[in-house]
Amino acid sequence: MQARTTGAPGPLHELICHPAGATGPVTRLTVSVFRPEPSVLALDYVLTGDLFRVLVPGPTVPGRADDLWRHTCFEAFIRTGAGPGYHEVNLSPSGAWAVYGFDDYRQGRTSPDGVASESVLRASDDDHLALTAILRLDDLDPAMSWSVGLSAVVEDADGGIAYWALTHPSAKPDFHHPDSFTLTLPPPEPA
């Protein structure tokens, strides 16, 4: 299986499981992320483990949907500037996706305009699940660097939920935590 389906030139980032929970059937979760255009975010997630024990939502008609985080879901959190506002991106292996805007920590949630999914694709075999997403985020300032937090929720066949992220700054899993935005994505260089 090809791990990088968008050909993302960025490095692979290893997600770690929150220490309060078990990793379940997952042995590794990596993400490659980059901005091919000033308002475009490209993500390649690769989950490695016993996929027979991971509950993976089946394919559906691609489009916006709510509550994706309640099941196996890949996520990105994006903040621009110094203010407290940020965006949450949810990507389901089903092809469904959602983007929410927040004015502050878990407050003022909206479904912003100027957001579109160009694609959410998945590929899998017995021990790998790859999800590639390309999102146009026209409501984020394309000239600024974006601070990003990468994460995933993985549901297993035994009913367990594992929370994976670049970092876990609190005792409980909290992908919205301001200290989770540890990766900086500058705008791409002009061609």
Side-chain angles (χ1 to χ4, degrees), residues 19-97:
T23 62
V26 177
T27 57
R28 186 175 189 211
L29 216 159
T30 60
V31 186
S32 178
V33 57
F34 78 115
R35 289 172 67 183
E37 298 174 28
S39 294
V40 174
L41 182 68
L43 297 153
D44 283 322
Y45 288 84
V46 178
L47 180 152
T48 304
D50 181 358
L51 284 195
F52 294 107
R53 294 184 43 228
V54 174
L55 292 181
V56 179
T60 188
V61 176
R64 283 187 187 227
D66 291 322
D67 297 327
L68 299 176
W69 55 271
R70 294 184 184 275
H71 303 285
T72 298
C73 179
F74 302 97
E75 301 182 353
F77 290 78
I78 307 158
R79 183 176 56 221
T80 61
Y86 62 95
H87 282 61
E88 174 184 0
V89 175
N90 296 165
L91 304 164
S92 173
S94 69
W97 58 275

Side-chain angles (χ1 to χ4, degrees), residues 8-22:
L12 283 180
H13 301 279
E14 292 273 346
L15 300 188
I16 55 174
C17 190
H18 192 277

Side-chain angles (χ1 to χ4, degrees), residues 123-176:
S124 63
D125 58 28
D126 292 348
D127 57 4
H128 292 89
L129 171 65
L131 183 130
T132 298
I134 300 172
L135 298 162
R136 179 162 296 283
L137 303 168
D138 289 333
D139 63 329
L140 294 179
D141 188 339
M144 295 193 70
S145 290
W146 296 352
S147 298
V148 178
L150 301 171
S151 53
V153 174
V154 181
E155 183 179 21
D156 68 49
D158 298 327
I161 301 281
Y163 300 92
W164 293 76
L166 286 172
T167 186
H168 296 284
S170 59
K172 292 183 178 182
D174 184 359
F175 302 149
H176 293 255

